[in-house]
Amino acid sequence: MSPPSGPATITLSTHHTRAIVTDAFAAAGLALDEASRITDSLLEAELREVPTHGIFRVPGYLQRLRDGSLAPARDLSIESVTGACGMIEAPGCLGYLPTWLAVESAVRSSHEFGIGACGVRGISEFGRAAYYVARAVDLGAVAIVCQNTQPILAAPGAAVATHGNNPIAFGSPGADAPIFDAALSRRSMGEIKRRSMLELPIPLEWGYLDETGKPTTDAARAAESPQQAVGGAKGFGIAVLVDLLAGVLTGAASGPAVVAGDATVGAMVIALSPKRFGLSQENLADAFGNSARHVRDAGGRWPGDRASAAAERNRMAESFEVPQPILASVCTYIPELANAVR
């Protein structure tokens, strides 16, 4: 989603932002590998113009690391459940580094057994699910990655939130292969909170309600109210599926048992090896190339097109745009970030 119109934007150097934000996470007590992984994911979101999962989130992370409600991810290990399945315990941590390690474990298993899975439990949010799918794709696997979240969705016919909007992503190797990533609310919670910070309205056609059940364009009121799943009962059903995979199967908190603000949820990575199914990169490229061509010829957008084009453009520029209020918010915690302004 392109950033909504509103406050003036500031151009930041990607290189300088990476160094400054990584140092800030390290100063907050994270080891360099975790600090670097979180920063890389946040910047990848900015470059792909998915700012809801970018540096907008830095102040909240740093505050929680400082007050102890988030813990550093140290001494992580993969517990083998069976030959093809693993589990990572990461109590109280952000999910970035644990989920990255889960991807590598699941892909290794898939190359040996044809399919591999690795769960993560006891974490807070992990950013963009597509970030981990892209890593699995680079390692040669088809992948599904998902996470359960705090309850914000009400079931059809209900007025109380019982389940998260539970993001899920998938992707495949091969030219023109899709990479798809979506939370199951009508818009991500990050989008709603970001609009609230920027004092931007929510379009009425998004269908958000306030605490009284009336349609609203007020992002702050919408963020505090139960949301409906995209696609109604179908979307809610997929949210329950993600809760099964990332919450129940991993032994993490799930459904209404998830407490807002607690790092107790889970993630699941499922990887499949195309080679074990008798498929080469060329086979995949032929299949997806044909599908993608028909979609584009019909005037449609193939999953991943917009983000890939944005990433290519912003990598060439070695910079990205951030609204001034968000930069000011981050600079409250990292004053040095002002030095990254171009």
Side-chain angles (χ1 to χ4, degrees):
M1 175 180 298
S2 299
S5 59
T9 60
I10 308 295
T11 303
L12 295 182
S13 158
T14 306
H15 172 74
H16 289 103
T17 300
R18 184 181 303 277
I20 292 166
V21 173
T22 299
D23 285 349
F25 281 128
L30 302 187
L32 183 58
D33 60 345
E34 184 178 15
S36 299
R37 181 58 50 216
I38 295 170
T39 302
D40 187 65
S41 178
L42 298 177
L43 288 180
E44 190 67 17
E46 294 288 359
L47 295 174
R48 291 181 175 274
E49 296 182 1
V50 189
T52 54
H53 291 71
I55 65 169
F56 160 70
R57 296 178 180 260
V58 168
Y61 292 167
L62 289 177
Q63 180 58 46
R64 294 186 66 192
L65 287 166
R66 292 175 184 179
D67 67 24
S69 58
L70 283 174
R74 301 196 186 276
D75 302 319
L76 298 176
S77 61
I78 300 170
E79 173 189 347
S80 178
V81 179
T82 67
C85 300
M87 183 69 64
I88 297 176
E89 185 90 34
C93 304
L94 281 164
Y96 293 82
L97 181 61
T99 309
W100 187 264
L101 298 177
V103 169
E104 296 181 339
S105 173
V107 171
R108 280 196 302 270
S109 295
S110 76
H111 290 326
E112 182 175 358
F113 301 105
I115 187 169
C118 190
V120 184
R121 73 171 157 252
I123 56 172
S124 181
E125 63 186 68
F126 70 1
R128 290 171 56 247
Y131 179 71
Y132 308 100
V133 167
R135 174 59 175 164
V137 167
D138 287 344
L139 295 173
V142 172
I144 300 170
V145 177
C146 59
Q147 180 182 36
N148 68 325
T149 69
Q150 70 183 56
I152 63 171
L153 294 184
V160 176
T162 56
H163 287 72
N165 63 352
N166 296 358
I168 183 168
F170 68 85
S172 169
D176 271 328
I179 290 188
F180 176 85
D181 184 355
L184 294 162
S185 51
R186 290 166 178 166
R187 292 295 186 277
S188 73
M189 182 58 78
E191 174 68 15
I192 303 305
K193 291 184 176 180
R194 189 172 182 273
R195 281 179 175 262
S196 178
M197 174 181 282
L198 297 176
E199 299 182 346
L200 293 171
I202 298 172
L204 200 59
E205 59 267 26
W206 286 7
Y208 278 83
L209 306 177
D210 63 19
E211 66 280 3
T212 69
K214 296 179 180 179
T216 185
T217 61
D218 187 321
R221 296 180 72 179
E224 298 301 320
S225 305
Q227 301 178 19
Q228 296 298 308
V230 63
K234 296 177 181 180
F236 188 79
I238 298 172
V240 174
L241 169 63
V242 172
D243 216 52
L244 165 62
L245 295 173
V248 177
L249 287 181
T250 65
S254 61
V258 178
V259 177
D262 285 0
T264 58
V265 297
M268 179 62 76
V269 179
I270 301 171
L272 300 98
S273 171
K275 289 183 179 179
R276 289 286 184 169
F277 285 84
L279 296 173
S280 67
Q281 293 271 355
E282 290 73 22
N283 297 143
L284 294 168
D286 288 345
F288 289 129
N290 183 56
S291 292
R293 183 172 60 256
H294 278 79
V295 167
R296 292 168 184 146
D297 287 350
R301 191 171 67 201
W302 184 245
D305 275 356
R306 187 201 62 78
S308 294
E312 182 177 358
R313 181 173 62 251
N314 291 320
R315 286 190 211 288
M316 289 182 63
E318 298 182 345
S319 64
F320 62 95
E321 301 289 319
V322 61
Q324 193 279 329
I326 289 177
L327 177 60
S329 174
V330 180
C331 283
T332 300
Y333 287 80
I334 315 175
E336 299 84 357
L337 191 59
N339 298 327
V341 174
R342 281 192 166 181

